Amino acid sequence: MRMSYENLMIREGSMLSIRPALSEDEPFLFQLFEESRKQEFLNTGWPEEQMSSFLHMQFEAQKRSYQLQNPSAAHEIIIYRQNRIGRLITDITDSSIHILDLTLSGKCRNRGFGASLLEGLQQAAVTTGRNVTLHVFETNSAQNLYLRLGFRITRSETPYVRMEWQPHS
């Protein structure tokens, strides 16, 4: 079930917006993926070419996985001052807005953009009577942001933690 994000309330004055991802966004999406995942593989000692090839393979596998497991998910590009700064993938069901992926470029982290987007999703959840759910790596520091915004850990399945935010809780 797709839901329009026209009513996604992004903090006024944040200059943030989202739009559907397009095929021409693929290079940006790979760059974002590479930036967020490369650190995990630096200790392999692989040459740059091998590292890049591996990350391309992982990027394509992730895309296929999202498409197979969540075919109706909305793939969005996060825009700040007319520049692409991240991606948001959500899957909407009758009961929840499930955040599959929220990734910001490194230079845009810890600047309030993630909080603004999450608060917008929470407002959309209130408006539509849904919960907001997500899975995050146990070691991901974004967990602190989710907890601060009222998300609760509902299940821990190494290496992930499932978190949920409920309106009026």
Side-chain angles (χ1 to χ4, degrees), residues 26-82:
E26 284 296 304
F28 166 75
L29 292 170
F30 173 71
Q31 180 183 26
L32 190 64
F33 178 85
E34 182 179 45
E35 178 186 323
S36 67
R37 301 292 305 274
K38 192 173 189 174
Q39 189 67 33
E40 297 172 37
F41 303 102
L42 287 179
N43 293 333
T44 63
W46 293 341
E48 187 63 34
E49 185 178 304
Q50 185 177 3
M51 176 78 72
S52 181
S53 177
F54 178 77
L55 288 169
H56 270 286
M57 187 175 55
Q58 291 293 301
F59 175 70
E60 292 300 323
Q62 183 188 62
K63 274 190 345 188
R64 283 190 304 276
S65 175
Y66 283 148
Q67 189 59 44
L68 287 171
Q69 293 178 28
N70 306 92
S72 63
H75 295 253
E76 310 285 338
I77 299 295
I78 304 164
I79 307 291
Y80 176 66
R81 294 186 175 172
Q82 301 178 359

Side-chain angles (χ1 to χ4, degrees), residues 104-130:
L104 294 170
S105 67
K107 65 184 180 212
C108 294
R109 293 183 193 136
N110 300 311
R111 295 180 55 191
F113 298 138
S116 183
L117 289 161
L118 290 165
E119 289 166 349
L121 289 168
Q122 288 172 319
Q123 184 59 47
V126 167
T127 302
T128 61
R130 291 178 168 91

Side-chain angles (χ1 to χ4, degrees), residues 67 85 119 125-126 129 134 140 144 161 166:
Q67 189 59 44
I85 65 163
E119 289 166 349
V126 167
L134 58 87
N140 189 328
N144 297 324
V161 173
Q166 298 178 341

